[in-house]
């Protein structure tokens, strides 16, 4: 692919493009470069006739810790400050729309897209894998929608897309974790919260030891 990216590496072999998250934040966290580069990258891959499938994975021991809070703190701080007025809130709304469009660029990609998940997949990582066509998880994969821990809403994609994939009450209402010995599989949306313990390779996990 053209110029190198800061947040990902791209390697194409046998008509399959492997997009590897590299951060640069800890645990492949998603900083400003990720939110800017991903739409451009997926537009280029989707337009490339030699690319017939796309695999997204993470470098190192984890898929992604999600939003890079230290790097993106300047975006959140003004709107979270006491007495925040309309100006900062309007700017924040525009930034959220831009981030939503980043994840939607993956969902809109016509080329079949697969997420290969290992280790931690948290917050924005779950947003990202909710937008692909197929999710394949290793036995050590752990998933959590952690935004509630920050008193914010998972509005970049998880709440809109995850109900079409699996039962999410445990994750989204309580910031709980799911582990996956066999991968993420579709679960009926009208099942009870315990649906994650059924024959889908997912189960609620205990308190995390990290990150």
């Amino acid at each position: 692919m053209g110029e190198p990216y800061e947040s990902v590496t791209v390697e194409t072999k046998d008509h399959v493009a492997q997009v590897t998250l590299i951060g640069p934040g800890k645990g492949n966290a998603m900083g400003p470069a990720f939110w800017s580069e991903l739409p451009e990258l997926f537009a280029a891959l989707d337009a490339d006739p030699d690319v017939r499938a796309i695999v997204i994975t993470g470098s190192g021991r984890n898929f992604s810790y999600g939003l890079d809070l230290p790097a993106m703190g300047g975006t959140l701080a003004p709107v979270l400050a006491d007495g925040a007025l309309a100006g900062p809130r309007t700017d924040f709304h525009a930034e959220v729309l831009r981030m939503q469009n980043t994840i939607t660029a993956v969902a809109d990609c016509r080329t079949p897209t697969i997420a290969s998940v290992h280790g931690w997949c948290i917050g924005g990582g779950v947003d990202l894998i909710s937008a692909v066509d197929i999710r394949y998880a290793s036995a050590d994969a752990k998933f959590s929608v952690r935004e509630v821990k920050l008193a914010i809403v998972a509005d970049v994609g998880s709440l809109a897309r995850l109900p079409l994939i699996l039962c999410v009450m445990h994750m989204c209402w309580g910031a709980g974790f799911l582990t996956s010995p066999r991968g993420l599989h579709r679960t009926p949306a009208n099942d009870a919260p315990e649906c994650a313990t059924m024959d889908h390779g997912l189960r609620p996990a205990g308190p995390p030891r990290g990150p």
Side-chain angles (χ1 to χ4, degrees):
M1 303 294 300
E3 298 183 0
Y5 296 95
E6 181 181 347
S7 62
V8 299
T9 62
V10 185
E11 180 182 359
T12 302
K13 182 179 180 180
D14 297 330
H15 302 290
V16 176
Q18 178 171 311
V19 177
T20 303
L21 306 177
I22 59 173
K26 180 181 178 181
N28 307 319
M30 301 167 171
F34 171 86
W35 301 103
S36 297
E37 293 174 348
L38 209 67
E40 173 188 340
L41 169 59
F42 267 78
L45 291 175
D46 203 19
D48 188 342
D50 290 331
V51 174
R52 301 177 185 173
I54 303 169
V55 176
I56 305 175
T57 190
S59 62
R61 297 172 57 186
N62 301 287
F63 182 79
S64 178
Y65 285 177
L67 186 68
D68 188 341
L69 289 174
M72 300 291 289
T75 301
L76 299 174
V79 75
L80 296 177
D82 290 340
L85 300 178
R89 293 178 183 273
T90 300
D91 293 341
F92 179 71
H93 180 248
E95 182 67 12
V96 169
L97 291 177
R98 186 178 73 88
M99 294 168 69
Q100 289 175 341
N101 289 336
T102 294
I103 302 300
T104 298
V106 177
D108 287 346
C109 181
R110 299 168 300 169
T111 305
T113 304
I114 302 167
S116 176
V117 185
H118 63 286
W120 298 104
C121 179
I122 301 172
V126 177
D127 289 316
L128 178 58
I129 68 169
S130 73
V132 305
D133 300 304
I134 300 171
R135 287 146 290 274
Y136 190 85
S138 66
D140 69 342
K142 297 181 179 67
F143 308 85
S144 181
V145 178
R146 301 294 280 178
E147 284 84 348
V148 68
K149 292 289 188 180
L150 301 174
I152 59 176
V153 176
D155 56 357
V156 183
S158 290
L159 292 181
R161 296 187 176 98
L162 281 182
L164 303 176
I165 303 168
L166 78 163
C167 180
V168 295
M169 281 79 82
H170 174 76
M171 294 175 66
C172 294
W173 291 355
F177 276 79
L178 296 180
T179 60
S180 174
R182 289 186 297 174
L184 273 174
H185 299 274
R186 184 181 178 88
T187 302
N190 60 347
D191 280 353
E194 291 80 5
C195 65
T197 67
M198 298 181 182
D199 298 327
H200 298 278
L202 292 171
R203 60 178 182 271
R209 295 182 180 179

